[in-house]
Amino acid sequence: MKAPVRVAVTGAAGQIGYSLLFRIASGDMLGPDQPVILQLLEVPPAMDAVQGVMMELDDCAFPLLAGLQASDQAEEAFKDADYILLVGAKPRGPGMERKDLLEANAAIFSVQGKAMNAVASRDVRVLAVGNPANTNALIAQRNAPDLDPRCFTAMTRLDHNRALAQLANRTGTHVTDIQKLTVWGNHSATQYPDISHAVVDGKAASDLVDQAWLEESFIPTVQQRGAAIIKARGQSSAASAASAAIDHMRDWTLGTPEGDWVSMAIPSDGSYGIAEGIIYSFPVRCSGGRYEIVQDLSIDDFSRERMSATEQELVEERDAVQHLLP
Ligand SMILES: NC(=O)C1=CN([C@@H]2O[C@H](COP(=O)(O)OP(=O)(O)OC[C@H]3O[C@@H](n4cnc5c(N)ncnc54)[C@H](O)[C@@H]3O)[C@@H](O)[C@H]2O)C=CC1
Ligand SMILES: O=C([O-])CC(=O)C(=O)O
């Protein structure tokens, strides 16, 4: 058995938290030989609810759960944290775009960025899930100047997984038959799910589906999936979001499968001409606990136009929160 690692989760009493914590504690995120200490953060009115979640975690008698604590103080919850999952934020309701949450949620991420700067492990891996996730990750990063900027990521894995499912359904295959799909840009309705390099059962995906399906069905369905779930369920996706967070952290830590890549929103280094510094979703390969952008993919005009539109939205979101970016 390895030594335990510390995993901090914010919004621990919320919908996503309720699906996420049990999977982290069971070993789905960091592997069956990695004990974890869970450090939960909630707001004061939710501390009773968190106590209930902790009782249930105890009641699971998870062999890998090496410690469990909760706090309403970020400095306590983030102390020495090796992993921080920033879930605690307001979700959107029907008729809203995710960026409508910027004002309500942005302040949370500046406060929490400062707290992790002060107390988290210097090798911490941070995932922003709370919306608008990319810009929230940027706010946390910029408020944590003593941490490596590359520690900060945002979640587009749910979009990636949604795109896999749509393409598998259309081609009569299984998600495990598909490789090299990419979601570019923002976790928003401008994101660009791109199949131009994807391979399905060894064949080019673009030879298996027609352009009309791509433009009129696949791209809008993936872009609007979050809204479709809110409409159907009356609440935003939770179990699938938790599952994607597990996938994101697992692959970042333990590596992406040979011959494939995943989508992660990470600080742009200017690759593919994307504005440096914004938290933009790229195709990445992970190994040895580090991610690298997959380079030298051909980008046609169709893709470029969509990659630029979602980049533009992220630049605008960044400009709207300048006052929170020291
Ligand atoms: N990136 C992605 O793919 C996805 C992101 N989301 C986002 O995740 C966030 C959480 O969603 P749900 O769990 O459904 O919401 P929820 O409302 O059920 O839970 C959020 C929890 O966060 C807590 N919270 C609020 N402010 C906090 C703070 N400052 N510190 C610690 N905890 C705090 C609340 O008390 C609440 O318990 C939302 O912003 C939602 O839009 C949801 C699905 C997918
Ligand atoms: O759509 C929302 O507001 C929740 C979310 O981010 C998603 O399901 O992708």
Side-chain angles (χ1 to χ4, degrees), residues 92 98 131 158-159 162 187 225-227 230 236-237:
R92 66 174 167 155
R98 295 184 189 94
N131 278 317
L158 179 52
D159 310 292
R162 288 167 171 165
H187 174 62
R225 188 69 160 186
I230 292 170
S236 60
S237 27

Side-chain angles (χ1 to χ4, degrees), residues 16 91-93 96-98 101 129 131 133 155 158-159 162 187 191 222-230 236-238 240-241:
I16 295 176
R92 66 174 167 155
M96 292 171 75
E97 287 300 329
R98 295 184 189 94
L101 294 168
V129 174
N131 278 317
M155 191 164 95
L158 179 52
D159 310 292
R162 288 167 171 165
H187 174 62
Q191 67 176 275
V222 176
Q223 288 175 330
Q224 295 296 339
R225 188 69 160 186
I229 290 185
I230 292 170
S236 60
S237 27
S240 55

Side-chain angles (χ1 to χ4, degrees), residues 124-281:
V124 65
R125 293 189 177 87
V126 181
L127 169 63
V129 174
N131 278 317
N134 301 52
T135 298
N136 288 337
L138 179 70
I139 295 169
Q141 180 210 52
R142 296 278 285 273
N143 283 278
D146 302 332
L147 296 173
D148 181 345
R150 286 172 49 92
C151 296
F152 292 83
T153 67
M155 191 164 95
T156 48
R157 184 60 176 266
L158 179 52
D159 310 292
H160 182 101
N161 289 347
R162 288 167 171 165
L164 285 176
Q166 292 299 319
L167 185 58
N169 283 344
R170 179 68 179 187
T171 54
T173 61
H174 190 261
V175 287
T176 51
D177 297 322
I178 303 175
Q179 282 98 37
K180 299 186 177 172
L181 187 143
T182 304
V183 172
W184 300 93
N186 199 4
H187 174 62
S188 76
T190 65
Q191 67 176 275
Y192 171 44
D194 175 12
I195 66 151
S196 58
H197 306 96
V199 176
V200 181
D201 227 352
K203 302 179 203 75
S206 47
D207 291 343
L208 303 178
V209 297
D210 56 80
Q211 191 65 17
W213 177 77
L214 196 67
E215 288 187 44
E216 288 154 30
S217 180
F218 174 75
I219 294 174
T221 298
V222 176
Q223 288 175 330
Q224 295 296 339
R225 188 69 160 186
I229 290 185
I230 292 170
K231 186 155 179 269
R233 237 170 62 84
Q235 285 189 300
S236 60
S237 27
S240 55
S243 197
I246 295 277
D247 289 347
H248 177 114
M249 285 302 211
R250 183 199 58 225
D251 288 350
W252 186 1
T253 306
L254 302 176
T256 38
E258 193 60 39
D260 200 2
W261 64 64
V262 295
S263 305
M264 283 172 65
I266 59 171
S268 170
D269 63 359
S271 293
Y272 295 98
I274 300 304
E276 252 181 80
I278 55 173
I279 309 287
Y280 187 95
S281 182

Side-chain angles (χ1 to χ4, degrees), residues 61-140:
F62 285 121
L64 290 171
L65 188 57
L68 179 59
Q69 60 200 59
S71 174
D72 56 11
Q73 300 297 315
E75 276 84 0
E76 244 170 62
F78 295 164
K79 183 93 181 83
D80 298 326
D82 303 293
Y83 299 84
I84 300 179
L85 291 90
L86 297 171
V87 180
K90 206 171 156 233
R92 66 174 167 155
M96 292 171 75
E97 287 300 329
R98 295 184 189 94
K99 67 181 161 204
D100 298 336
L101 294 168
L102 202 47
E103 209 170 311
N105 289 339
I108 297 174
F109 292 81
S110 66
V111 170
Q112 294 182 355
K114 289 185 176 72
M116 60 187 88
N117 192 54
V119 300
S121 158
R122 298 301 91 174
D123 293 324
V124 65
R125 293 189 177 87
V126 181
L127 169 63
V129 174
N131 278 317
N134 301 52
T135 298
N136 288 337
L138 179 70
I139 295 169

Side-chain angles (χ1 to χ4, degrees), residues 280-323:
Y280 187 95
S281 182
F282 287 97
V284 303
R285 290 197 181 95
C286 306
S287 89
R290 292 179 67 77
Y291 58 78
E292 295 298 338
I293 297 173
V294 177
Q295 298 291 344
D296 301 324
L297 297 175
S298 55
I299 305 294
D300 62 17
D301 291 346
F302 181 85
S303 291
R304 175 56 66 188
E305 193 185 314
R306 284 158 183 77
M307 287 164 65
S308 299
T310 191
E311 173 192 20
Q312 185 54 37
E313 183 183 44
L314 280 169
V315 167
E316 286 165 15
E317 286 184 23
R318 179 195 64 195
D319 292 348
V321 294
Q322 268 316 329
H323 58 292

